[in-house]
Amino acid sequence: AGYNKLLRDIGPAGVPGECRGKGWVRPITLDDMLRLNEKQMLLASSLALAPLVVHAVPPGATQAALVPGEDPLRPRDVGFGSNGWAFGKEVTANGRGLVVGNPHFPWNGPSRFYEMHLTLPGQYDAMGVGIAGAPIVTLGFNKDVAWTHTVTAAQHFTVFQLKLDPADPTKYLVDGKSEAMRRQVISVPMPDGAPPVQRTTYATRYGPIVYNPLAGFGWTKTQAYALRDANHNNQRALETWVAIGQARSVGEVRAAVERTLGIPWVNTIAVDRAGNALHADVTAVPNVSADKVRACGTPLSAVLKGKLILLDGSRSACDWDRAAGTPVAGLMPAGDQAVLERRDYVANSNDSYWLSNPKVPAVVRSPILGAAESERTLRTRSGLIEIDRRLSGTDGLPGTKVDPAAAEAMAFANKSLAAELAIDPLLALCRGQEDVAAACAALGGWDRRFNLDSRGAYLFATFWEGVRSLPGLWAVPFDKADPVHTPRDFVTSGAQGTKLLAALKAAAATLAKQGIALDARWGDVQFAVRGQDHIPIHGASGQLGVLNVQQSDAVPGGIVPKHGSSYVQIVTFDTVGPVADALLSYSQSTDPASPYFGDQTRAFSAKRFHHLPFSEAQILADGGRKSVRISE
């Protein structure tokens, strides 16, 4: 209703310039909202496989290409990530909870966050952000709790290998009995008077048929593959986030997450005023145990291990197990998923549940929840190292406790663990090598961070991209007894050293081709474009072990962020309510004519957090409020 009223009020001329006159700018319906919600629920699960569904045809049949230039066999990389840290009373300066939320999300498109403070007197009062279309706060805080989310390592779908009926490839056998696939013709309207595009999809008791022969998912006369997603028709998430926004403790946050199993694909990291910290890796996950993965595997299952779970669809016993008390049959009960409550800290940077606090590695669970007792990413390790340095007082900041100032400094320190591990051995290797002397000198003068004034950072980022996947990079391999500090010891001897020098030379050549100096200032290389302004942006790729992630696209003269730090919040509590500092990196508005198109991007560039007023008195003291009354 609000969206449609806005369209009527502003009229065709009031629509932002890039949208003006477009046929898709029209009133929306409840059906549109449900479809949008469904898309968001599948965003980091099977949505990337949608091309494989519409491309699937029986053997001998043909179907037009999806769109020119698109490879329907290659799943799209959604690439969402985040850092979430929750500190409890044992380690915070005020003895209350403190959460650091730094979700890494797209800077453009429909998955941008927007800030809100929503109050229903006597029922609901929460502040934070939601994704386009979200009517409530999905990441934020209220008077008593603060929470953030990170994309989980759990898998939210499985693929089933089907044995087909020899008489008809559109029928499949389950326990020896033939079942017909459901056939549906989908017609998609096209703009500018073009005829609609039609696709025929095929579905089974498990879900739609998928086709990707490059991954082994062919559709032959004897076998095919079907996809089942735990987030299909997940309309429970709204209920979950309403309950989180009303929660008064991390216990109530946990209860909401566990009861509904409505969180689609993110960890929940939360704190409360009393000083408790929570990490709940509890989502809508297929109820597939490790025993079932082993018992129901096919020869292809072993090939795909670590990428997805493939089950034998010819046996009904291999379908997802049903457990009492789950809101939807086939979902994994919360008791079989991973939850950790602490009074020191929990942390997650998109690795699995296993190591949210190195003092208490989690019990190994079903592989569908992610890998355990395995190597962590540089970003995960960097976060845990920085937390340890803070609590031991070795990070150069005052004291050994966590307060908002320390948390903000940690979030935007822009250190690179890759540089910390590799730069000294690399400098020793390249010293005296004439063909890389200039590059070596540039790296020698680099502060090993990705701050605006860091010189030489782009050279190292380019170099690291070329070497990070080399085999034999580390002398000390991963050790599950020391997962935070292994692997380590950068290898520069022998043939490996030759490869590293060649990569450094190639990186220098790349910069020369781009017209970027070897010791270029990072803020001159990475920038956000707002109108005629180029706003310098700190942070860098998580592959570098940088916590403040920025993934950027190349443009003339530099790179422009497309994905990374978005809504960054540091929230603790006093005796009255929340004490919150936050930033929305790409700013609230996408309209170049708006005064809120680049204001927070400039503040982000300067690492200048906004203190958010929450109570009525704080809002009035902050200059509020201007009321706009709407009715429908």
Side-chain angles (χ1 to χ4, degrees):
Y3 180 90
N4 292 340
K5 176 177 172 55
L6 175 67
L7 283 183
R8 289 198 306 272
D9 288 349
I10 63 177
V15 173
E18 292 185 351
C19 308
R20 201 169 296 153
K22 304 294 186 183
W24 41 263
V25 180
R26 54 179 173 78
I28 57 175
T29 65
L30 176 60
D31 186 66
D32 291 323
M33 293 301 298
L34 293 175
R35 288 177 186 276
L36 176 61
N37 185 66
E38 173 85 348
K39 188 270 290 185
Q40 301 290 20
M41 295 303 99
L42 301 176
L43 203 58
S45 56
S46 69
L47 185 65
L49 301 179
L52 311 186
V53 174
V54 297
H55 194 73
V57 292
T62 59
Q63 188 144 281
L66 294 176
V67 292
E70 180 178 347
D71 179 1
L73 305 180
R74 183 180 181 182
R76 292 167 289 176
D77 179 17
V78 178
F80 295 130
S82 302
N83 304 317
W85 303 340
F87 297 99
K89 62 190 300 181
E90 293 177 358
V91 300
T92 57
N94 62 4
R96 303 182 186 275
L98 184 150
V99 79
V100 178
N102 183 3
H104 305 146
F105 261 61
W107 277 40
N108 302 294
S111 294
R112 282 173 48 115
F113 288 117
Y114 69 97
E115 289 181 283
M116 66 177 91
H117 183 176
L118 177 63
T119 303
L120 283 71
Q123 299 182 60
Y124 183 97
D125 190 11
M127 191 173 192
V129 291
I131 294 176
I136 56 165
V137 175
T138 55
L139 190 159
F141 55 92
N142 64 20
K143 185 171 67 71
D144 299 300
V145 302
W147 75 97
T148 190
H149 295 295
T150 62
V151 175
T152 176
Q155 298 178 37
H156 298 89
F157 64 89
T158 64
V159 176
F160 290 86
Q161 185 170 337
L162 306 176
K163 182 184 294 184
L164 299 184
D165 187 329
D168 186 345
T170 63
K171 295 181 179 180
Y172 58 104
L173 302 176
V174 180
D175 298 333
K177 296 181 180 180
S178 181
E179 296 183 12
M181 297 177 187
R182 299 187 304 276
R183 185 179 310 189
Q184 183 178 10
V185 177
I186 299 173
S187 182
V188 182
M190 293 288 110
D192 303 322
V197 172
Q198 290 190 339
R199 295 287 183 269
T200 300
T201 62
Y202 298 82
T204 68
R205 62 160 63 186
Y206 306 111
I209 298 292
V210 291
Y211 179 77
N212 187 346
L214 296 181
F217 298 160
W219 189 348
T220 69
K221 293 181 179 180
T222 59
Q223 65 184 21
Y225 297 83
L227 172 75
R228 184 178 180 189
D229 195 309
N231 279 308
H232 177 57
N233 286 335
N234 178 7
Q235 300 291 347
R236 304 180 307 282
L238 184 64
E239 175 190 353
T240 309
W241 274 306
V242 168
I244 292 175
Q246 294 173 320
R248 294 165 295 180
S249 67
V250 297
E252 292 185 5
V253 172
R254 176 177 178 175
V257 171
E258 293 184 341
R259 181 185 72 254
T260 62
L261 294 180
I263 295 292
W265 37 262
V266 289
N267 297 277
T268 301
I269 294 103
V271 296
D272 59 26
R273 178 197 300 276
N276 302 297
L278 168 74
H279 173 206
D281 189 355
V282 177
T283 58
V285 173
N287 193 14
V288 177
S289 66
D291 288 341
K292 172 156 284 193
V293 171
R294 285 189 293 268
C296 290
T298 74
L300 184 58
S301 299
V303 177
L304 297 171
K305 184 178 179 181
K307 297 179 181 179
L308 56 81
I309 303 293
L310 176 66
L311 303 173
D312 183 356
S314 69
R315 293 182 282 158
S316 60
C318 291
D319 201 354
W320 303 350
D321 290 330
R322 293 173 175 244
T326 59
V328 175
L331 295 185
M332 182 177 286
D336 292 338
Q337 300 188 53
V339 179
L340 182 63
E341 289 190 49
R342 302 279 297 179
R343 291 187 176 179
D344 52 357
Y345 73 88
V346 293
N348 183 267
S349 291
N350 308 122
D351 269 318
S352 77
Y353 63 90
W354 176 59
L355 206 68
S356 58
N357 186 312
K359 297 177 184 178
V360 283
V363 173
V364 178
R365 298 175 181 269
S366 169
I368 204 165
L369 296 175
E373 298 184 338
S374 60
E375 184 178 336
R376 307 290 92 176
T377 65
L378 283 178
R379 181 160 56 88
T380 289
R381 293 169 59 190
S382 177
L384 296 173
I385 288 170
E386 291 308 312
I387 290 172
D388 181 68
R389 287 170 174 168
R390 170 81 300 258
L391 301 184
S392 63
T394 58
D395 60 355
L397 300 172
T400 59
K401 298 287 188 179
V402 180
D403 60 16
E408 290 170 19
M410 292 165 68
F412 287 165
N414 295 315
K415 297 178 183 179
S416 167
L417 182 57
E420 188 172 317
L421 294 170
I423 200 74
D424 284 335
L426 179 62
L427 290 175
L429 173 68
C430 69
R431 194 169 294 120
Q433 300 289 333
E434 190 171 331
D435 56 345
V436 292
C440 197
L443 292 180
W446 177 40
D447 64 5
R448 307 181 190 191
R449 302 195 184 206
F450 285 83
N451 285 320
L452 301 184
D453 290 328
S454 297
R455 293 184 175 274
Y458 187 53
L459 173 62
F460 182 79
T462 306
F463 162 79
W464 190 251
E465 182 60 28
V467 304
R468 63 182 177 82
S469 298
L470 287 177
L473 205 60
W474 309 105
V476 177
F478 168 75
D479 180 356
K480 70 177 183 180
D482 187 15
V484 177
H485 300 287
T486 59
R488 66 171 185 270
D489 295 353
F490 196 59
V491 175
T492 60
S493 58
Q496 188 80 328
T498 302
K499 293 177 183 177
L500 295 175
L501 289 173
L504 182 57
K505 185 176 180 180
T510 296
L511 267 64
K513 185 176 180 180
Q514 295 174 347
I516 297 174
L518 296 176
D519 63 346
R521 180 177 171 271
W522 182 243
D524 293 335
V525 175
Q526 183 171 259
F527 50 84
V529 180
R530 293 293 182 271
Q532 299 300 312
D533 293 341
H534 285 191
I535 303 172
I537 300 296
H538 51 86
S541 169
Q543 303 283 4
L544 291 154
V546 176
L547 294 168
N548 177 26
V549 168
Q550 298 297 344
Q551 296 179 15
S552 297
D553 282 334
V555 297
I559 54 177
V560 171
K562 64 176 179 181
H563 178 107
S565 291
S566 53
Y567 173 70
V568 186
Q569 65 169 9
I570 314 291
V571 185
T572 187
F573 301 89
D574 58 20
T575 58
V576 178
V579 178
D581 293 339
L583 269 172
L584 188 62
S585 62
Y586 38 67
S587 300
Q588 180 86 331
S589 178
T590 60
D591 183 0
S594 169
Y596 310 111
F597 178 60
D599 57 334
Q600 292 200 62
T601 308
R602 295 180 180 88
F604 178 84
S605 176
K607 301 183 182 180
R608 187 175 67 249
F609 280 81
H610 293 151
H611 189 68
L612 301 182
F614 183 78
S615 69
E616 188 74 13
Q618 290 169 342
I619 292 169
L620 291 173
D622 193 56
R625 71 178 53 225
K626 177 183 178 183
S627 295
V628 177
R629 295 187 177 273
I630 61 174
S631 61
E632 181 70 6

Coordinates of all heavy atoms in Angstrom, one line a residue, residues 20 48 81 112 121-122 128 137 164 187 195 254 337 386 400 475-477 493 495 531 569 577:
R20 N 12.5 6.6 -14.8 CA 11.3 7.4 -15.3 C 11.0 6.8 -16.7 O 11.8 6.6 -17.6 CB 11.7 8.9 -15.5 CG 10.6 9.8 -15.6 CD 11.1 11.2 -15.4 NE 11.7 11.4 -14.0 CZ 12.6 12.3 -13.8 NH1 13.1 13.1 -14.7 NH2 13.1 12.5 -12.6
A48 N 20.9 -19.4 -7.6 CA 21.9 -19.4 -8.6 C 21.8 -20.5 -9.6 O 22.4 -20.4 -10.7 CB 23.3 -19.4 -7.9
G81 N 28.6 -12.3 1.9 CA 29.4 -12.6 3.1 C 29.1 -11.7 4.2 O 28.1 -11.0 4.2
R112 N 20.3 -4.2 -1.8 CA 20.8 -3.1 -0.9 C 20.0 -3.1 0.4 O 18.8 -3.3 0.4 CB 20.8 -1.8 -1.6 CG 21.8 -1.5 -2.6 CD 21.5 -0.2 -3.4 NE 21.2 0.9 -2.5 CZ 22.0 2.0 -2.4 NH1 23.1 2.1 -3.1 NH2 21.6 3.0 -1.6
P121 N 3.6 1.3 18.9 CA 3.6 1.6 20.3 C 3.0 0.4 21.1 O 2.0 -0.2 20.8 CB 2.6 2.8 20.4 CG 2.8 3.5 19.1 CD 3.0 2.4 18.1
G122 N 3.9 0.0 22.1 CA 3.5 -1.1 23.0 C 3.7 -2.5 22.4 O 3.5 -3.5 23.1
G128 N 17.4 -0.4 12.6 CA 18.5 -1.1 11.8 C 18.2 -1.0 10.4 O 18.0 0.1 9.8
V137 N 12.6 -4.5 10.5 CA 14.1 -4.6 10.7 C 14.5 -6.0 10.7 O 14.0 -6.9 11.4 CB 14.5 -3.9 12.0 CG1 15.9 -4.1 12.3 CG2 14.1 -2.4 12.0
L164 N 15.3 -43.3 -14.3 CA 14.2 -43.0 -15.2 C 13.5 -44.3 -15.6 O 14.1 -45.4 -15.7 CB 14.6 -42.2 -16.4 CG 15.2 -40.8 -16.1 CD1 15.5 -40.0 -17.4 CD2 14.3 -40.0 -15.2
S187 N 5.3 -18.5 -19.3 CA 5.4 -17.5 -20.3 C 5.8 -16.2 -19.6 O 5.2 -15.7 -18.7 CB 4.0 -17.3 -21.0 OG 4.1 -16.3 -22.0
P195 N 7.4 -10.6 -28.5 CA 6.5 -11.7 -28.1 C 7.1 -12.3 -26.8 O 8.3 -12.2 -26.5 CB 6.6 -12.7 -29.2 CG 7.9 -12.4 -29.9 CD 8.1 -10.9 -29.8
R254 N 17.2 -16.7 20.4 CA 17.4 -18.1 20.1 C 16.1 -18.9 20.0 O 15.9 -19.7 19.1 CB 18.3 -18.8 21.2 CG 18.5 -20.2 21.0 CD 19.4 -20.8 22.1 NE 19.6 -22.2 22.0 CZ 20.4 -23.0 22.7 NH1 21.2 -22.4 23.7 NH2 20.5 -24.3 22.5
Q337 N 21.3 -28.7 14.9 CA 22.2 -27.6 14.4 C 23.0 -27.0 15.4 O 23.0 -27.5 16.6 CB 21.3 -26.6 13.7 CG 20.4 -27.2 12.5 CD 19.7 -26.2 11.7 OE1 20.3 -25.2 11.2 NE2 18.4 -26.4 11.6
E386 N 42.5 -10.7 15.6 CA 42.3 -9.3 16.1 C 41.5 -9.3 17.4 O 41.8 -8.5 18.3 CB 41.6 -8.5 15.0 CG 42.4 -8.2 13.8 CD 43.8 -7.6 14.1 OE1 43.9 -6.7 14.9 OE2 44.8 -8.1 13.6
T400 N 42.4 -3.8 27.7 CA 42.2 -5.1 27.2 C 40.7 -5.5 27.0 O 40.3 -6.6 26.8 CB 42.8 -6.2 28.2 OG1 42.2 -6.0 29.5 CG2 44.3 -6.0 28.3
A475 N 54.7 -23.5 4.4 CA 55.5 -24.6 4.8 C 54.9 -25.4 5.9 O 55.0 -26.6 6.0 CB 56.9 -24.0 5.4
V476 N 54.1 -24.7 6.8 CA 53.4 -25.4 7.9 C 51.9 -25.6 7.5 O 51.2 -24.6 7.2 CB 53.5 -24.6 9.2 CG1 52.6 -25.3 10.3 CG2 54.9 -24.4 9.6
P477 N 51.5 -26.8 7.3 CA 50.1 -27.0 6.8 C 49.1 -26.8 7.9 O 49.4 -26.5 9.1 CB 50.1 -28.5 6.5 CG 51.1 -29.1 7.4 CD 52.2 -28.1 7.6
S493 N 61.4 -20.4 -1.4 CA 62.6 -21.1 -1.9 C 62.4 -21.9 -3.2 O 61.3 -22.2 -3.5 CB 63.2 -22.1 -0.8 OG 62.2 -23.0 -0.5
A495 N 61.8 -23.5 -6.8 CA 60.9 -23.2 -7.9 C 59.7 -22.3 -7.4 O 59.2 -21.4 -8.2 CB 60.3 -24.5 -8.4
G531 N 27.7 11.1 -8.6 CA 27.7 12.2 -9.5 C 29.0 12.5 -10.2 O 29.6 11.6 -10.8
Q569 N 27.4 -1.7 12.0 CA 26.8 -1.2 13.3 C 27.6 -1.7 14.5 O 28.1 -2.9 14.5 CB 25.4 -1.6 13.5 CG 25.1 -3.1 13.6 CD 23.7 -3.5 14.0 OE1 22.8 -2.7 14.1 NE2 23.5 -4.8 14.4
G577 N 19.0 2.0 27.5 CA 18.7 1.4 26.2 C 20.0 1.2 25.3 O 21.1 1.2 25.9

